[in-house]
Amino acid sequence: MHFDELIGHLGQHTVDGLSKGAIYALIALGYTLVYGVLRLINFAHSEVFMVGTFAVLILWNQLGVENNPPIGQAILFLVLGLLVAAVASGGTALALERIAYRPLRRKNAPPLIFLITAIGLSLVFVELFGQVLPKLLGGVLPAAFGRPRQIVGMPTIIEQKTLFTIGNTAITNIQLIVLIAAVAMMALLDWFINRTRYGRGVRAVAQNPETAALMGVNQERVIMLIFVLGGIMAGAAALLWSMRFGFTQNSIGFVLGLKAFTAAVLGGIGNLRGALLGGLFLGIVEVYGATLFASNWEDVIAFVVLIVVLMFRPTGLLGESLGRARA
């Protein structure tokens, strides 16, 4: 155990964990929104994130993006990447709801059927992007994409540089962009849910669907809205992941999705601010654990922390449901 390394560079590890956890938190919002309204664990949401990363890859490849473009072009590529990833992930999430989950709701299928369907959809997307699309798009995308199940690299849009140093903690431009962008997206979503007319509809359906319907709230539109919002957050996370880590793969969503779900449960699933807290907390714990033990232990540590937290607080750190959120 490397206590000296952890304590000696505590600030640096904390910043690294926060920037990593911010991405978890954005993905966790999709789980939280769907569970808060439908009481459904949408395990296919991890592949919604994966679709966003491939959308960014395809866009940048078709635009001919090279490493370290001029700052003006870099900003343009990032904005276009955000728009394309949000549309791709939001559209994918909406399609999943309309094609798979809506027919099950109309038939009053039991929760187990929804869970099995979600897992099945996740596997379908993994194989689709691992086997089918590489054969169809291998000629127009990087050579690695033409080989099934391979990790595909992305161009470096912004070169990582240290902006300033506090003590022995270096803050890089990438870390700062990821943190600011993630917190801004989550703050915007929180404002939308708590302060707008559509957000009131979401909270009403989450709290009491029958009463909301009697009051004229269109439940189908609310359900479509939460899937789209969750997909947009996953698309934003996909862009930040592409910028910070610079690669994707057909199975990239599996572990990340489990960690994002863990973050949602840690914060209190169904609670938007809990997803933020859970994601940041999980990111910090992972980096601390990897420093203390070894990097290959970070996944184990994340789930052990989840078990420990739930043993003492089963509702998560905050535990407030989406329907009881206050404006």
Side-chain angles (χ1 to χ4, degrees), residues 103-271:
L104 294 178
R105 290 201 316 275
R106 288 183 169 180
K107 295 178 180 179
N108 293 318
L112 181 60
I113 301 302
F114 282 92
L115 181 62
I116 293 172
T117 301
I119 296 173
L121 288 170
S122 177
L123 294 175
V124 167
F125 271 90
V126 169
E127 292 304 313
L128 179 66
F129 279 79
Q131 295 283 358
V132 179
L133 288 185
K135 296 178 181 178
L136 296 177
L137 302 178
V140 296
L141 290 179
F145 189 70
R147 300 192 296 271
R149 306 179 187 280
Q150 295 296 308
I151 293 176
V152 187
M154 297 184 182
T156 301
I157 299 296
I158 297 179
E159 184 180 2
Q160 183 164 283
K161 297 179 180 179
T162 299
L163 291 180
F164 55 89
T165 302
I166 303 175
N168 61 349
T169 302
I171 312 296
T172 69
N173 53 349
I174 299 297
Q175 291 171 331
L176 201 60
I177 291 172
V178 168
L179 277 171
I180 292 175
V183 172
M185 291 289 292
M186 287 180 277
L188 184 62
L189 179 64
D190 186 77
W191 172 84
F192 180 86
I193 294 296
N194 289 310
R195 299 291 181 180
T196 67
R197 173 187 171 190
Y198 295 105
R200 287 194 295 270
V202 171
R203 300 202 313 275
V205 174
Q207 189 168 12
N208 193 316
E210 291 78 15
T211 302
L214 291 174
M215 296 297 291
V217 178
N218 189 318
Q219 293 186 47
E220 288 300 319
R221 288 184 181 178
V222 167
I223 292 170
M224 292 171 63
L225 177 63
I226 60 168
F227 272 88
V228 170
L229 288 175
I232 290 174
M233 294 299 112
L239 175 70
L240 296 179
W241 171 273
S242 303
M243 185 174 62
R244 188 179 190 278
F245 295 99
F247 73 91
T248 187
Q249 189 181 20
N250 68 306
S251 59
I252 194 173
F254 179 72
V255 174
L256 278 175
L258 286 178
K259 290 181 179 180
F261 175 67
T262 300
V265 175
L266 277 174
I269 191 164
N271 185 314

Side-chain angles (χ1 to χ4, degrees), residues 294-317:
S295 59
N296 56 347
W297 279 84
E298 67 177 18
D299 295 342
V300 176
I301 293 168
F303 296 118
V304 168
V305 169
L306 171 66
I307 294 171
V308 171
V309 170
L310 294 183
M311 284 175 61
F312 296 98
R313 190 169 176 81
T315 57
L317 297 174

